[in-house]
Amino acid sequence: MLLGVAVLLVAGTLLQLAAPYLIGLAVDRFIIEGDRQGLTRTMLLLLAVYVGSWATAYGQFYGMIQVGNKVLYRLRSQIFDRIQSLSLTYFDEHEAGDLMSRLTNDVDTIGQVINAGLVQTLGSALLIVGIVVAMFRLNWQLALATFAILPLMFAVSILFSSRARRAFRKTRKTIGSVSADLEENISGVRVAQAFAREDENIERFDELNRANRDANVSAQGVVAAFAPTLDVLSTIGLAIVIGFGGYLALQEPPLITVGIIVSFLVYVRRFFHPIQQLAQLYAQLQSALAGAERIFELLDAQPDLTDAPDAVEMPPIAGRVALDGVSFHYKPEEPVLRDVTLVAEPGQTVALVGPTGAGKTTLVNLIGRFYEAVDGAVKIDDRDVRRVTRASLRSQMGIVLQ
């Protein structure tokens, strides 16, 4: 499908390059000479060029919508698969709402660029190259004069690019914080109302929401200054064509025809139009790149706990659980369990009693090998849980939280 889009892209670019040439030809050979039949044929051919240009553009966008949505489907599936495989330590350090934002908001920003922006970007780049070649073929002197502002344009683009990327990184982080706080408040709304914390929660969300607003205003401010700058430069380019082109046409003998000047004016407008399109897509592209950084940071994350190379399947469990000198900490400076030893026999009911943070849930998580003991060993039926596969162990366990 991408190959088909590429073919349509090349065909559409050639058709767009043909239109200014036909307009200049009509001026020099048919309008000035009064050839009505030739002018009619040229106008019909020009109409066919515009219709073909529309058809190729429609095919490009339709094809990229198909490709883009398939890419987004696979990307979301990969993110979800990665989330399922990560260890609990990762979720201790990353909020659920922020991960949801990566799966939804950040992926959506990439989708906007793939579905429409990618075709426009590639098409604009191809069109710019074609226009440069066509203008040099018509008159190299006028072409060189017109392109004198290109170094300034590239310098402006590089300057805005670096500033915009930093700004959009901040917007992706702030929307992640908003999503995380929103998820926490929605899932815990019963508790919030029970303890009359509505006002505090509203105040905290307003603070995060305000930070997201300010980050977006700052990022869009950078982009808003980019498009008018290119507008001014494109106007200077038109002025160069009119001024220098008129100078060449007024020489004796004329060094350029009126038709070539008209073609150049159309080409220059076509040349700066894709650049202005790229400026409009600039915000989407920078936002998508910032979102992609967060997505691939998640996709590149590796689980802390994996099955040992020599891990075996856990045989049917009888139910003897033993902890032998087990110690554990989430942070090295804050130990949670210290040298814990206990045995729970099959059929025996054991209660662990203690205040919040004493390590009761942590101990259960060690039995299921959601975390790894720092010291000591956790054994089920005299088998160290580190020596069996996690899937075979957990498939024979039941955990009822709260």
Side-chain angles (χ1 to χ4, degrees), residues 306-317 369 380-396:
T306 56
D307 291 336
D310 57 348
V312 298
E313 296 288 314
M314 184 72 181
I317 292 176
R369 201 174 171 240
I380 298 180
D381 294 346
D382 296 326
R383 287 180 178 268
D384 192 322
V385 294
R386 290 171 293 195
R387 297 289 175 257
V388 298
T389 62
R390 290 169 298 164
S392 65
L393 170 64
R394 295 171 187 171
S395 65
Q396 301 187 65

Side-chain angles (χ1 to χ4, degrees), residues 217-250:
V217 168
S218 176
Q220 293 298 335
V222 175
V223 177
F226 185 44
T229 304
L230 292 182
D231 238 355
V232 171
L233 294 176
S234 66
T235 304
I236 293 173
L238 284 173
I240 291 173
V241 170
I242 295 172
F244 189 62
Y247 169 78
L248 294 177
L250 293 174

Side-chain angles (χ1 to χ4, degrees), residues 73-91:
Y73 165 78
R74 291 190 60 187
L75 190 56
R76 287 195 178 99
S77 298
Q78 289 177 354
I79 294 172
F80 188 79
D81 291 348
R82 175 58 65 188
I83 289 175
Q84 297 299 309
S85 67
L86 290 172
S87 306
L88 288 187
T89 50
Y90 185 87
F91 300 101

Side-chain angles (χ1 to χ4, degrees), residues 30 46 98 105 115 127 153-154 167 176 192 214 222 237 272 304 306 328 359 392:
F30 305 122
L46 189 61
D98 181 64
N105 298 326
N115 288 337
L127 183 60
M153 186 171 292
F154 286 130
D214 294 342
V222 175
F272 288 107
D304 296 329
T306 56
F328 178 79
S392 65

Side-chain angles (χ1 to χ4, degrees), residues 140-157:
W140 66 270
Q141 294 168 302
L142 188 54
L144 284 177
T146 305
F147 297 143
I149 63 172
L150 285 183
L152 180 59
M153 186 171 292
F154 286 130
V156 169
S157 300

Side-chain angles (χ1 to χ4, degrees), residues 135-320:
M135 290 171 74
F136 270 104
R137 286 179 62 87
L138 284 174
N139 187 280
W140 66 270
Q141 294 168 302
L142 188 54
L144 284 177
T146 305
F147 297 143
I149 63 172
L150 285 183
L152 180 59
M153 186 171 292
F154 286 130
V156 169
S157 300
I158 293 172
L159 174 64
F160 278 101
S161 175
S162 60
R163 292 184 59 192
R165 180 76 68 84
R166 290 194 299 269
F168 277 106
R169 281 197 191 105
K170 190 172 182 180
T171 66
R172 303 322 308 165
K173 290 180 180 177
T174 54
I175 191 61
S177 298
V178 169
S179 299
D181 193 71
L182 186 63
E183 184 273 336
E184 182 179 341
N185 277 282
I186 292 175
S187 61
V189 65
R190 187 192 304 271
V191 177
Q193 292 181 359
F195 288 90
R197 280 194 53 86
E198 295 93 338
D199 292 339
E200 289 85 350
N201 289 352
I202 290 171
E203 183 178 348
R204 172 175 167 75
F205 182 79
D206 184 66
E207 180 182 341
L208 294 172
N209 202 19
R210 195 182 308 117
N212 178 247
R213 178 202 63 192
D214 294 342
N216 276 280
V217 168
S218 176
Q220 293 298 335
V222 175
V223 177
F226 185 44
T229 304
L230 292 182
D231 238 355
V232 171
L233 294 176
S234 66
T235 304
I236 293 173
L238 284 173
I240 291 173
V241 170
I242 295 172
F244 189 62
Y247 169 78
L248 294 177
L250 293 174
Q251 299 299 307
E252 291 293 343
L255 299 177
I256 195 172
T257 66
V258 176
I260 290 178
I261 294 177
V262 173
S263 294
F264 254 87
L265 286 173
V266 179
Y267 273 130
V268 168
R269 292 184 65 86
R270 291 280 180 91
F271 179 78
F272 288 107
H273 180 66
I275 294 179
Q276 290 169 336
Q277 281 186 327
L278 291 175
Q280 294 172 359
L281 290 168
Y282 188 74
Q284 290 183 354
L285 182 61
Q286 294 302 318
S287 182
L289 289 172
E293 289 175 353
R294 284 164 46 83
I295 288 172
F296 285 100
E297 178 189 4
L298 173 57
L299 290 177
D300 291 340
Q302 297 298 320
D304 296 329
L305 297 179
T306 56
D307 291 336
D310 57 348
V312 298
E313 296 288 314
M314 184 72 181
I317 292 176
R320 187 177 190 275

